[in-house]
Amino acid sequence: LYRVVSAIRISRAGFPARMPLKDFVQRFILLARALAAALFGICEEAGVREKAAAAVRTIDGGVDAAAGCRALLAAVCFGEKSDKYQVGRTRVYFKSGVLEQLEERRSMVLQAAATVLSKRVRGRQAQHRFRAIRRVALQIQALQRMRKHRVTFKRLRNATIFCQSLRRAVFAKRIAFSLRRERCAVLIQTAWRRHRDMNLFALKRSAAVKIQSMARRMACRKQYLID
């Protein structure tokens, strides 16, 4: 009965919005964390950040729900007066419009966090796409350079083979010319030796014939004288 009377008295005092202490701390502690870290450009004042950091340390320290709720309210309701809310044993009460402002701030923080998260996700996806495109571009460039170098190599190889074939042709012509000259020299030498030997043989045969004829003549002459 006392609690019912207290609730009626508080409602008559102009605190229509209410919320359990644990639910309030769990729901709006992210405002304190965002203020303490100065995330999303919510507040840049050093005093507010210090209050929010102290509130976060107090709540994380394991204090009771009422003390944590008071510390959290002192941090997040930096633009509100203390008469805008009242902390009871199990609930916290707000005047008209205060809880809506806190919900709006919470929604802004969540929206900013979602925006940052989506931006980072899109950035990550863009990085993956860029890396994939760059990898494909590098592969295409490598293939293009390989094709270009291959064409250049084939041209150089063909030119080298052509030069080598010309060089071998010149060497072959020189060798063929030297062989023909050597063959001609051998034929000339053979003809000369044959001519020389034939002349020598003719002279020897003529001399032998003359010697034989003189020997037969002398033999016939002796025979004739004997007879």
Side-chain angles (χ1 to χ4, degrees):
L1 181 62
Y2 175 76
R3 293 183 179 180
V4 175
V5 173
S6 298
I8 294 172
R9 181 175 55 81
I10 291 172
S11 298
R12 288 180 179 179
F15 296 93
R18 69 194 68 181
M19 183 177 292
L21 297 178
K22 292 183 179 180
D23 294 344
F24 178 79
V25 172
Q26 292 177 359
R27 186 172 181 81
F28 294 101
I29 191 173
L30 62 90
L31 286 177
R33 297 185 188 277
L35 288 172
L39 298 176
F40 317 121
I42 296 177
C43 182
E44 298 180 356
E45 297 180 3
V48 176
R49 291 201 302 270
E50 292 177 358
K51 289 182 180 180
V56 172
R57 288 195 298 269
T58 302
I59 295 171
D60 293 339
V63 297
D64 58 345
C69 186
R70 290 188 181 92
L72 182 59
L73 285 169
V76 299
C77 295
F78 54 86
E80 303 292 341
K81 297 181 181 179
S82 60
D83 58 353
K84 296 292 185 179
Y85 57 86
Q86 291 292 331
V87 179
R89 291 183 179 180
T90 59
R91 296 176 183 273
V92 56
Y93 300 89
F94 300 94
K95 283 193 174 183
S96 179
V98 177
L99 186 59
E100 287 76 7
Q101 292 181 4
L102 291 176
E103 291 288 349
E104 184 179 358
R105 292 177 188 172
R106 183 176 180 275
S107 299
M108 291 175 60
V109 171
L110 291 176
Q111 184 178 2
T115 302
V116 172
L117 182 61
S118 62
K119 181 176 66 175
R120 291 185 178 179
V121 170
R122 288 194 301 270
R124 188 68 174 175
Q125 291 176 353
Q127 287 182 357
H128 283 298
R129 288 194 299 269
F130 171 74
R131 289 176 182 174
I133 293 172
R134 184 179 63 178
R135 183 169 59 253
V136 174
L138 290 176
Q139 291 178 357
I140 293 174
Q141 291 176 357
L143 291 174
Q144 183 65 24
R145 287 194 297 268
M146 182 182 68
R147 181 177 177 277
K148 182 179 179 181
H149 292 321
R150 187 175 181 181
V151 171
T152 304
F153 169 74
K154 286 184 177 179
R155 290 179 181 176
L156 292 175
R157 186 181 63 180
N158 293 333
T160 303
I161 293 173
F162 180 73
C163 293
Q164 291 176 352
S165 63
L166 290 178
R167 186 65 177 172
R168 285 194 295 268
V170 172
F171 286 158
K173 287 182 179 180
R174 290 180 180 177
I175 293 172
F177 178 75
S178 62
L179 289 175
R180 286 196 300 268
R181 185 174 61 184
E182 183 178 358
R183 183 179 179 184
C184 292
V186 170
L187 291 175
I188 292 172
Q189 291 176 359
T190 303
W192 167 251
R193 285 196 296 270
R194 183 180 62 182
H195 177 71
R196 184 190 62 185
D197 294 338
M198 288 182 68
N199 289 335
L200 183 60
F201 173 74
L203 290 175
K204 289 181 178 181
R205 187 178 62 179
S206 177
V209 170
K210 287 182 178 182
I211 292 172
Q212 289 175 0
S213 61
M214 289 181 65
R216 284 194 298 268
R217 184 179 64 183
M218 291 179 65
C220 291
R221 187 176 181 182
K222 289 180 179 180
Q223 187 66 29
Y224 177 75
L225 290 176
I226 293 173
D227 294 337

